[in-house]
Amino acid sequence: MTLTAAILGGLLAWRDGYFNGLLWLACCLGLLFAHATNNLLNDYTDSRRGIDRDNYYRNQYGVHVLEDGLMSRAQFWRYFAVTAAIALALGLWLVSVRSGPTLALLLAGAFFVLFYTWPLKYIGLGEPSVLLVWGPLMVGGTYYVVTGSWSNEVALLSLVFALGPTTVLFGKHIDKLDADRDKGVRTLPVLLGERGARHATMVLLLAQYLLALGLVLGGLFSWPLLLVFASTPSLVRCLTLLRAPKPTARPAEYPAKIWPLWFSAACFRHTRRFTSLFLLAVVVTILL
């Protein structure tokens, strides 16, 4: 999803005739290494606080470098230093090339890398952070670094994309709502309650389509953006799933390799299809 955000910012810069391949590549790599750094810090923080211990939900659906014993603490910090140093070096180079708000964008990115896991995720601000980071910060920031100018239109368009990763995070936090609540992690779904969180996710999914339609009708983007409506069947399946609570046990027909992911898997499938059509719409616009 981070690569997609960088690609989107680059495509919009190309559309406007200001593409710079070197600056885009540096920005793209910087974002990827920053995201890697955040993932490592997320593992460390939740492991240190005891969140990921004793078969906590996190260990049931993915590899955890510390809890699974793949790295010692010393190895972990060396690995972390490498990813953080690369991200910071690329960011500082871009600041030297692009003045203006580039430094502010770098500092904002560093803030979310360092503080997303704690305290933002613990006080219901993780989900809004994802909407901001994968939208205006990543897409709008990439566009600015490549072109040298900020675009409110690009920042608004980026929200159509960023709502997708936000729904995936909502789905994941609903899937593990009970485990988070028991561990004292107050994600937004924990604060909203299971039913309220499912309804909020449905609103976010519908908002993607309404915002896309509004941008076309308002003349801020051309008609190819309506291609995203081809993902409506996936939307309907996702909304249908969100109308009922998650099953307490894996249904017989549900793939064992996906369980216990339920809402997050459905939201990810929809986001993958919606985002593919969204990028296609941008490419078609450029070609036209």
Side-chain angles (χ1 to χ4, degrees), residues 11-17 221-225 227 278-288:
L11 284 174
L12 294 171
W14 182 26
R15 177 199 65 172
D16 294 342
F221 206 84
S222 55
W223 63 265
L225 187 57
L227 285 171
F278 182 66
L279 288 174
L280 176 62
V282 176
V283 172
V284 170
T285 300
I286 293 171
L287 295 176
L288 292 176

Side-chain angles (χ1 to χ4, degrees), residues 23-188:
L23 292 179
W24 177 81
L25 182 61
C27 189
C28 180
L29 291 175
L31 290 174
L32 289 172
F33 276 100
H35 191 177
T37 302
N38 174 257
N39 282 348
L40 289 167
L41 191 60
N42 182 58
D43 279 1
Y44 174 79
T45 301
D46 284 347
S47 178
R48 181 70 181 270
R49 296 175 66 87
I51 301 298
D52 289 341
R53 294 176 192 164
D54 301 325
N55 255 343
Y56 175 66
Y57 187 94
R58 168 67 176 81
N59 297 85
Q60 298 177 36
Y61 70 85
V63 175
H64 192 301
V65 294
L66 291 174
E67 293 296 321
D68 294 340
L70 300 179
M71 287 184 184
S72 67
R73 291 293 172 93
Q75 289 172 325
F76 173 89
W77 285 117
R78 287 197 294 271
Y79 200 102
F80 177 87
V82 170
T83 61
I86 293 174
L88 184 60
L90 289 168
L92 291 175
W93 180 74
L94 290 171
V95 169
S96 70
V97 175
R98 288 284 188 213
S99 56
T102 309
L103 178 59
L105 290 167
L106 174 63
L107 293 175
F111 172 82
F112 286 111
V113 166
L114 295 173
F115 299 114
Y116 164 77
T117 302
W118 187 89
L120 297 178
K121 186 175 73 173
Y122 283 68
I123 56 175
L125 293 178
E127 294 80 9
S129 297
V130 165
L131 181 61
L132 178 61
V133 169
W134 267 267
L137 189 57
M138 281 194 186
V139 180
T142 299
Y143 180 89
Y144 175 80
V145 166
V146 174
T147 66
S149 62
W150 180 262
S151 170
N152 290 330
E153 175 194 341
V154 169
L156 186 59
L157 181 66
S158 73
L159 294 176
V160 178
F161 160 72
L163 282 164
T166 306
T167 63
V168 175
L169 185 63
F170 254 87
K172 183 176 77 170
H173 287 169
I174 299 172
D175 282 343
K176 62 192 188 83
L177 189 149
D178 291 337
D180 276 339
R181 183 172 51 214
D182 293 343
K183 292 282 188 175
V185 183
R186 293 181 294 277
T187 62
L188 196 51

